[in-house]
Amino acid sequence: GAVVSQHPSWVICKSGTSVKIECRSLDFQATTMFWYRQFPKQSLMLMATSNEGSKATYEQGVEKDKFLINHASLTLSTLTVTSAHPEDSSFYICSVPGELSTDTQYFGPGTRLTVL
Amino acid sequence: AQTVTQSQPEMSVQEAETVTLSCTYDTSESDYYLFWYKQPPSRQMILVIRQEAYKQQNATENRFSVNFQKAAKSFSLKISDSQLGDAAMYFCAYRSPPTSGTYKYIFGTGTRLKVLA
């Protein structure tokens, strides 16, 4: 399967600061990437769809000013959690759709964010 | 709106035995995909098996097979000859037909599978 990387794998930050998470598609170019959030022992919830060359599409209930998404190139999408609070602590996962309609999506290894 | 339901929060199976994980979904679409993903303790999501809705034949991948009942909107996963490495969280997922050129995935709440030695 395709390789998707995320950086950092974990981060601890103070409340009020901003944190940037990178997602890279290493095997092919991706015009679309997905950002998910997973709370402990819970499912993956789609936060937004990152679109290269245009604005991200956010799911209902996700604050676009708090979770800034930038699809800088065909291989890189970034998620910035602005003015982080302890309730933003979670596991953030990005994924890249396969090139074919029959493909699955390829997941990054995730980033654990802890806000103190 | 589409929904995916996994009614078994946790399941246990003896090593070498067979276990079935349940998944039901709701959609008004006719063309979609269904997936089972595995999430081990490393948290890396791994594709287990996929099923195209237009195919009547159940998908199989080695020890993993599905029972896809389209009319009943049911998509169960059967793991045969369970191994210790199968212990993980399993998520059922529905992929909608593309809207504006992109797909959307909806995940169930997951089933934690324990494999007993």
Side-chain angles (χ1 to χ4, degrees):
Chain A
V3 178
V4 178
S5 70
Q6 276 186 248
H7 178 79
S9 55
W10 61 269
V11 57
I12 301 173
C13 69
K14 293 182 179 180
S15 186
T17 61
S18 294
V19 174
K20 180 185 286 187
I21 302 170
E22 293 185 349
C23 176
R24 292 183 184 274
S25 174
L26 302 181
D27 282 355
F28 55 85
Q29 295 180 332
T31 57
T32 300
M33 294 185 183
F34 299 114
W35 285 98
Y36 293 91
R37 183 174 182 175
Q38 186 179 30
F39 288 107
K41 299 184 180 180
Q42 293 191 26
S43 187
L44 278 73
M45 299 298 295
L46 179 65
M47 297 176 64
T49 302
S50 174
N51 304 300
E52 193 271 337
S54 63
K55 293 181 179 180
T57 305
Y58 289 83
E59 295 302 301
Q60 192 173 8
V62 177
E63 300 176 60
K64 62 180 181 181
D65 294 330
K66 180 164 188 63
F67 298 99
L68 300 179
I69 291 174
N70 180 28
H71 202 126
S73 72
L74 288 172
T75 58
L76 173 65
S77 176
T78 60
L79 167 68
T80 301
V81 183
T82 63
S83 187
H85 289 280
E87 56 264 32
D88 298 325
S89 298
S90 189
F91 194 66
Y92 293 87
I93 306 174
C94 72
S95 74
V96 175
E99 293 181 292
L100 303 176
S101 63
T102 54
D103 281 346
T104 181
Q105 55 182 325
Y106 299 97
F107 290 90
T111 297
R112 178 170 299 286
L113 170 64
T114 301
V115 184
L116 303 177
Chain B
Q2 296 94 351
T3 59
V4 177
T5 302
Q6 292 179 250
S7 59
Q8 305 155 317
E10 190 172 295
M11 293 282 285
S12 295
V13 62
Q14 204 71 34
E15 196 176 5
E17 297 296 310
T18 296
V19 65
T20 298
L21 308 184
S22 301
C23 173
T24 58
Y25 60 95
D26 190 25
T27 183
S28 58
E29 304 287 349
S30 59
D31 179 23
Y32 52 87
Y33 280 71
L34 296 165
F35 302 85
W36 278 98
Y37 291 96
K38 170 184 177 181
Q39 188 180 43
S42 68
R43 307 293 293 273
Q44 173 73 59
M45 295 287 284
I46 302 166
L47 174 68
V48 175
I49 199 165
R50 85 190 78 187
Q51 175 79 45
E52 296 94 325
Y54 65 86
K55 287 188 177 180
Q56 292 186 333
Q57 187 174 8
N58 290 324
T60 62
E61 287 287 343
N62 300 312
R63 298 183 295 107
F64 299 88
S65 62
V66 298
N67 183 5
F68 174 48
Q69 302 290 328
K70 191 171 184 179
K73 296 179 182 175
S74 171
F75 182 60
S76 61
L77 174 69
K78 186 172 81 171
I79 306 175
S80 304
D81 185 25
S82 297
Q83 301 175 359
L84 294 177
D86 294 334
M89 197 74 170
Y90 286 81
F91 291 99
C92 177
Y94 165 93
R95 193 188 82 180
S96 65
T99 302
S100 301
T102 189
Y103 302 98
K104 183 175 289 187
Y105 290 77
I106 299 169
F107 287 82
T109 51
T111 297
R112 180 166 301 282
L113 178 66
K114 294 184 177 181
V115 181
L116 308 174

